[in-house]
Amino acid sequence: AQSVTQLGSHVSVSEGALVLLRCNYSSSVPPYLFWYVQYPNQGLQLLLKYTSAATLVKGINGFEAEFKKSETSFHLTKPSAHMSDAAEYFCAVSDSQAGTALIFGKGTTLSVSS
Amino acid sequence: GAVVSQHPSRVICKSGTSVKIECRSLDFQATTMFWYRQFPKQSLMLMATSNEGSKATYEQGVEKDKFLINHASLTLSTLTVTSAHPEDSSFYICSARLTGMNTEAFFGQGTRLTVV
């Protein structure tokens, strides 16, 4: 079975500081990995996805993530945090088959202080 | 990107009544949709996979007689919470993936259900 583990339920950074949100995956097949962001009482918005084309994936709003097979990781980073980045972030995994559900990690709350 | 619309965004119902939540794919056809439940400050828990024209597949521990799913067309799936109780209060989110390999999932806006 596939799963993802997000280390750290809550991350706090100052505005302008580096953002690092951690995600490790477990999969017996080549995984497809995603990062989503959720604002209060809203659905999820895709930040970026890894589909084996390139290990360094760039997403929206300045976020990027690097797939490291040796570490089974897919950590999300952003060089400089903005206040508007404060939200809940979810790492998710699926297999390659079309029509399968994404499995989510427990989420990480990002707080950004001025 | 593709759009998934979910309705209503909020609903309050009395204990014992039933509530229907709609999930529509607005600009694409979705043979498969997914229903998730999210408790406050927690992750999304997959409840069931909704298949157009056939029975839904429920995850272990989800009562299929309580959470009725109908996927009658390629653009509409509905979740009906039957005989709702306060413990059913939660945030319900639907999603759909485009056909093809390794596509992302698109999510509805979610429905906040409060049972009083």
Side-chain angles (χ1 to χ4, degrees):
Chain A
Q2 296 177 308
S3 66
V4 288
T5 301
Q6 291 184 242
L7 299 175
S9 60
H10 195 172
V11 171
S12 297
V13 300
S14 299
E15 194 172 19
L18 171 72
V19 174
L20 171 61
L21 305 182
R22 300 178 186 274
C23 174
N24 288 87
Y25 69 89
S26 173
S27 177
S28 58
V29 297
Y32 292 93
L33 297 159
F34 308 83
W35 275 100
Y36 283 85
V37 61
Q38 184 183 34
Y39 297 97
N41 292 310
Q42 294 187 29
L44 279 71
Q45 180 184 13
L46 179 71
L47 284 175
L48 48 81
K49 64 179 181 180
Y50 167 74
T51 58
S52 76
T55 57
L56 182 62
V57 181
K58 294 187 181 299
I60 63 171
N61 301 338
F63 285 94
E64 63 181 37
E66 185 173 9
F67 175 75
K68 292 187 177 181
K69 185 177 180 179
S70 61
E71 299 177 6
T72 62
S73 69
F74 189 57
H75 301 331
L76 181 71
T77 61
K78 181 174 181 177
S80 176
H82 293 173
M83 297 293 287
S84 60
D85 294 327
E88 190 78 14
Y89 291 80
F90 293 97
C91 181
V93 64
S94 78
D95 62 27
S96 61
Q97 293 186 21
T100 56
L102 271 60
I103 304 302
F104 288 87
K106 292 188 175 182
T108 298
T109 302
L110 175 65
S111 299
V112 182
S113 59
S114 58
Chain B
V3 178
V4 174
S5 177
Q6 190 173 340
H7 178 80
S9 59
R10 293 178 180 271
V11 58
I12 300 173
C13 71
K14 292 185 177 180
S15 188
T17 62
S18 296
V19 173
K20 180 184 285 187
I21 302 170
E22 293 187 349
C23 180
R24 295 180 183 273
S25 55
L26 296 186
D27 49 2
F28 67 103
Q29 294 182 331
T31 56
T32 303
M33 291 185 177
F34 309 97
W35 288 95
Y36 293 86
R37 183 174 181 176
Q38 186 179 31
F39 291 102
K41 304 294 184 182
Q42 294 190 31
S43 186
L44 283 76
M45 181 190 76
L46 179 65
M47 297 175 65
T49 299
S50 171
N51 303 298
E52 187 269 334
S54 64
K55 292 183 178 180
T57 303
Y58 290 82
E59 296 299 302
Q60 190 173 11
V62 178
E63 298 178 62
K64 60 182 180 181
D65 293 332
K66 180 166 191 62
F67 298 100
L68 299 179
I69 291 173
N70 183 278
H71 195 154
S73 77
L74 289 171
T75 59
L76 174 64
S77 175
T78 61
L79 168 67
T80 301
V81 183
T82 63
S83 187
H85 291 285
E87 56 264 33
D88 299 325
S89 299
S90 192
F91 194 58
Y92 294 87
I93 306 176
C94 69
S95 80
R97 295 178 80 173
L98 297 173
T99 55
M101 305 297 279
N102 61 60
T103 58
E104 65 263 35
F106 296 91
F107 289 83
Q109 307 93 319
T111 297
R112 172 72 60 192
L113 171 62
T114 303
V115 184
V116 297

